Amino acid sequence: MLDEKLCAYKKKERLKRFTPTKYKEEFPFLREVDSLALCNVQLQIEKAFKDHFRNRKQFKHPKFKKKREKQSYTTNNVHNSIRVDFEKGLLYLPKLREGVKIELHRRFDGKIKSVTVSRTNDGKYYASILVETENLRNKVVEPKSKACGIDLGLEHFVTVTNDFGSYKVEHPKYLLKAEERLRRLQRSLSRKQKDSKNSEKARLRLARQHAYITNARNDFLHKLSKAIIDENQVVVVEDINVKGLLKTRLAKSISDSGWSKFLTYLKYKAEWYGRTFIQVDRFFPSSKLCHRCGHKNEDLAPHDRTWYCPRCGENHDRDVNASINLYFVGLGRPEVTPVEQSLVDDRSPNGLPKKPSCNETGSLTTKC
Ligand SMILES: [Zn+2]
């Protein structure tokens, strides 16, 4: 179907509309699949082309998938053709007489709309079930803390300050170990002869390790962001300008640490649970300001982990101090009011004046 569409597309012919039925004569195996699965493919192709014609920049024209990539099909529930037997742990799919044994992640109520069966490139099968249900969200807990400030670090994953004090969250050890194993598997694959049996085995091992790391990291990020959202009413993070930083030398560790994913999770969970998510302007000097007296340390170098405030003599841990400043932003009342400097750094890195601004924190003004 895609081939015919692409041929017409390349010849600049008008794309005609056709149904998957016409292929069944030539490709009898298509009869083995339920017709709704084929229909969904047709709909997906049509949507992909429609998106492409609507916005060619954002949506490239559809392409063929590689055999080794993730493969999937979606089918809809008609007259109870898709069922889950929670007791026996079986999933019933159209065209299959017997249920498929599944490892169920959780029970659900509601009407099953569709199911997507996918095979990942590490050879595992997943079924994702779309359900129509009344109670959409998990229970909302009363926050214990009014606000929290989160400093994203390289040494520690994050440093958090809220009403109860500050704490650091380390990169999980199992992730660091898993990444070490990943590098070993990568080296092992590169030593294998291309297209040999051993190289295929090594590729599979590598794909499995990649999948393990992705799952483990997502699990860690989901649990951490959920815990933070549960505990605090206002969550403040710095705008680290992930995309800008990714181009620099720090790239590897940042893309690995999953900051941008973490911020995305915090943002949508805040929306779900009625919390406020604030991302301060990236020119807000959260690390350079002394949280005690408001002095701004212009000499603070990126590698300085601790520093003494020349004005009040406080010994600062860089990350803890930054998270405290962000916490103050969350409280909406910076107790530390700078005497000489504006709370907002008014210069951009190239020395040109920049409009002072602080996203969503309009109340942040300098009092003298
Ligand atoms: Zn100070």
Side-chain angles (χ1 to χ4, degrees), residues 16-228:
K16 7 177 231 286
R17 207 171 242 278
F18 37 70
T19 59
T21 329
K22 74 172 252 207
Y23 302 99
K24 284 188 180 171
E25 206 56 45
E26 195 181 340
F27 306 102
F29 66 86
L30 290 177
R31 293 183 211 276
E32 289 170 28
V33 198
D34 68 289
S35 56
L36 284 170
L38 296 176
C39 270
N40 281 318
V41 174
Q42 184 194 6
L43 292 177
Q44 278 159 8
I45 289 183
E46 260 153 34
K47 183 174 181 300
F49 274 104
K50 219 168 154 187
D51 285 341
H52 172 62
F53 290 131
R54 195 165 44 84
N55 185 348
R56 281 166 200 252
K57 252 192 193 151
Q58 197 181 347
F59 301 100
K60 301 276 179 274
H61 71 76
K63 274 187 229 149
F64 283 105
K65 285 187 182 172
K66 288 201 179 81
K67 201 179 167 190
R68 276 174 185 170
E69 278 171 17
K70 182 175 157 173
Q71 300 193 41
S72 71
Y73 83 97
T74 301
T75 184
N76 305 63
N77 189 13
V78 186
H79 306 305
N80 234 8
S81 59
I82 302 169
R83 299 184 304 284
V84 177
D85 188 330
F86 290 112
E87 303 311 321
K88 288 181 191 154
L90 293 174
L91 170 67
Y92 292 90
L93 292 166
K95 288 258 178 180
L96 294 179
R97 290 227 185 91
E98 282 167 47
V100 185
K101 204 155 174 46
I102 51 167
E103 200 173 303
L104 201 69
H105 290 260
R106 63 173 127 165
R107 283 172 177 256
F108 53 83
D109 355 284
K111 206 173 131 202
I112 295 177
K113 303 295 284 181
S114 66
V115 61
T116 300
V117 177
S118 53
R119 180 186 181 278
T120 56
N121 65 352
D122 60 337
K124 282 186 181 161
Y125 288 85
Y126 292 88
S128 150
I129 301 169
L130 180 69
V131 180
E132 198 174 64
T133 174
E134 294 277 305
N135 47 348
L136 288 166
R137 308 259 184 271
N138 300 342
K139 212 169 76 219
V140 177
V141 250
E142 202 55 41
K144 290 193 195 95
S145 162
K146 283 195 281 300
C148 94
I150 303 171
D151 176 73
L152 305 157
L154 288 175
E155 246 172 87
H156 314 275
F157 181 64
V158 286
T159 307
V160 183
T161 296
N162 64 13
D163 295 4
F164 309 110
S166 306
Y167 59 91
K168 292 185 174 189
V169 180
E170 306 288 332
H171 292 275
K173 282 228 173 63
Y174 57 84
L175 265 184
L176 300 176
K177 266 191 191 159
E179 271 157 15
E180 223 166 81
R181 187 170 137 80
L182 184 78
R183 280 189 286 280
R184 229 170 35 237
L185 290 172
Q186 268 159 348
R187 280 198 300 275
S188 151
L189 175 63
S190 67
R191 279 195 301 264
K192 301 278 184 292
Q193 203 189 326
K194 230 185 149 201
D195 293 325
S196 66
K197 266 200 172 153
N198 279 335
S199 109
E200 175 58 21
K201 272 188 224 157
R203 188 195 65 78
L204 203 65
R205 270 199 294 272
L206 185 63
R208 269 191 209 127
Q209 189 65 9
H210 265 299
Y212 170 78
I213 288 176
T214 311
N215 293 342
R217 187 181 291 124
N218 283 346
D219 181 62
F220 163 67
L221 295 176
H222 273 301
K223 280 174 182 160
L224 182 62
S225 56
K226 176 72 164 60
I228 287 173

Side-chain angles (χ1 to χ4, degrees), residues 149-152 159-161 236 238 284-291 300 307 316-329:
I150 303 171
D151 176 73
L152 305 157
T159 307
V160 183
T161 296
V236 186
E238 53 192 326
F284 175 67
S286 57
S287 301
K288 288 180 182 171
L289 279 184
C290 166
H291 74 263
L300 189 69
W307 58 282
H316 289 302
D317 174 301
R318 183 200 182 93
D319 303 335
V320 171
N321 179 56
S323 71
I324 293 176
N325 281 322
L326 293 165
Y327 166 66
F328 285 155
V329 172

Side-chain angles (χ1 to χ4, degrees), residues 290 292-295 309 311-314 316:
C290 166
R292 205 166 143 209
C293 73
H295 174 78
C309 173
R311 198 204 274 161
C312 70
E314 178 87 2
H316 289 302

